[in-house]
Amino acid sequence: MKEHQTLPKRILAINGSHHGVKGHTHAFLQTISKGVTAAGGEFEEVVLAGLKIQRCLGCGFCHTPDHALHCALEEKDDVAWVFNKMANADLIIFATPIQVFGISSLLKTLLDRLYSTSDVNRFRVTRSGLFFHDINERICSKPFVSLINCDNLDEEMPLNARHYFRQYARFMDAPLVGELIRNAGGIVLQKNDPEILLKFPKIADVFSAYEESGRELVSMGRIRRSTQQRANQEIIPVPFFGQLKRLSIFKHIMVEKAKRLLDFKVSEKG
């Protein structure tokens, strides 16, 4: 973010998890919120699972002369309320778990409704040189952070979601000021278990980086690359794990160990 621009004070997080406040996504956002408030910013989380978000009908009602930019559903659900929150925020965090290799259906359904906020009959060239229709910059062009989380360890798993947000940034003229991509979420969030922390000592640094991310968003308008690297680091205590997990033979070894661990847990319960 350029120095002459006002630094963000009002951070709006949109939680796209179907688990709402009981999910991993919420837990990561709560950690960021600590950093935001510590730096003097305001943090608000919109939990889509608790709202009524209907799918875009593709009916074209919002682009007729008598109803331009007014969705046929705007008085029947909470989407207009969410879009108003986005318009009044300084910076947005789009937060989602991975669902079938992409962003959650909840978040996608919300973003599909942006169709009603733009005049698709007027055309423009984006700052990145892409041909696109007119957009409502108050809603679509806010600087944003993508927060993507999953349990899977394979680096391929979040790629579609990561690409989606990068394309959103280019077409919407929205600065992407941070990418938080967290794998092994189920392990990471057991941070209060002393045994887990002993086995996975990097977890503490991951959460420290998430909190630092919140502070940096308020103080700098972006998350530093070094902070993102800490937040996104591998937590498995195996040397060169990031490189090893790309090898097919190593993946098979991991699967066998996971099976033995599961069998052990089942036998304990039995």
Side-chain angles (χ1 to χ4, degrees):
M1 185 170 288
K2 296 178 181 179
E3 292 183 3
H4 69 273
Q5 292 179 315
T6 303
L7 290 171
K9 291 295 182 184
R10 293 168 297 183
I11 312 295
L12 177 71
I14 298 180
N15 180 347
S17 170
H18 287 279
H19 292 290
V21 296
K22 297 180 180 180
H24 296 176
T25 303
H26 173 71
F28 290 124
L29 288 174
Q30 287 298 101
T31 305
I32 294 174
S33 74
K34 293 178 183 178
V36 169
T37 54
E42 301 173 16
F43 185 92
E44 181 177 5
E45 179 182 357
V46 170
V47 182
L48 298 185
L51 301 176
K52 186 176 182 180
I53 310 292
Q54 298 191 66
R55 64 180 177 83
C56 174
L57 301 174
C59 63
F61 179 88
C62 54
H63 298 295
T64 58
D66 294 336
H67 305 285
L69 305 186
H70 288 283
C71 180
L73 301 172
E74 66 183 17
E75 296 181 358
K76 299 179 181 180
D77 67 5
D78 299 311
V79 170
W81 179 81
V82 178
F83 285 169
N84 186 60
K85 291 280 187 184
M86 293 170 66
N88 290 318
D90 297 322
L91 186 147
I92 296 170
I93 301 174
F94 289 122
T96 179
I98 293 295
Q99 291 186 336
V100 195
F101 321 117
I103 68 173
S104 76
S105 58
L106 264 178
L107 183 56
K108 183 62 167 61
T109 300
L110 173 73
L111 296 177
D112 282 349
R113 293 280 294 279
L114 288 172
Y115 181 72
S116 67
T117 70
S118 307
D119 186 349
V120 298
N121 296 310
R122 295 176 59 192
F123 298 98
R124 58 194 283 272
V125 177
T126 69
R127 287 196 290 268
S128 57
L130 299 173
F131 186 66
F132 198 40
H133 59 65
D134 184 55
I135 59 173
N136 184 332
E137 294 184 352
R138 292 187 65 244
I139 299 174
C140 302
S141 299
K142 295 292 173 72
F144 75 98
V145 171
S146 60
L147 192 165
I148 303 165
N149 70 89
C150 62
D151 285 335
N152 195 293
L153 294 173
D154 202 301
E155 60 188 12
E156 293 284 323
M157 181 58 69
L159 288 187
N160 283 345
R162 187 179 190 184
H163 183 68
Y164 179 91
F165 288 120
R166 288 185 172 188
Q167 290 296 81
Y168 179 98
R170 296 181 68 211
F171 277 97
M172 297 296 195
D173 286 337
L176 178 54
V177 297
E179 292 180 298
L180 300 175
I181 303 172
R182 184 64 264 156
N183 63 18
I187 298 174
V188 172
L189 287 170
Q190 297 181 56
K191 58 186 174 67
N192 296 321
D193 185 330
E195 186 175 343
I196 291 294
L197 284 178
L198 187 62
K199 290 181 178 178
F200 304 95
K202 292 182 180 180
I203 289 178
D205 190 45
V206 167
F207 276 93
S208 174
Y210 266 79
E211 190 167 336
E212 179 62 25
S213 295
R215 285 192 290 268
E216 291 176 357
L217 288 175
V218 176
S219 63
M220 303 172 62
R222 61 180 178 85
I223 305 175
R224 290 185 301 175
R225 180 171 296 183
S226 59
T227 304
Q228 292 180 65
Q229 289 173 340
R230 288 173 54 215
N232 300 342
Q233 67 182 294
E234 296 286 358
I235 63 154
I236 306 299
V238 175
F240 307 108
F241 179 75
Q243 289 75 28
L244 285 172
K245 72 178 184 179
R246 298 174 187 173
L247 304 176
S248 178
I249 188 171
F250 186 71
K251 291 179 181 180
H252 285 293
I253 293 172
M254 289 172 59
V255 168
E256 289 303 316
K257 286 188 175 181
K259 286 181 180 178
R260 288 197 293 271
L261 179 60
L262 181 61
D263 290 341
F264 175 73
K265 287 183 176 180
V266 171
S267 64
E268 274 193 326
K269 291 180 179 179

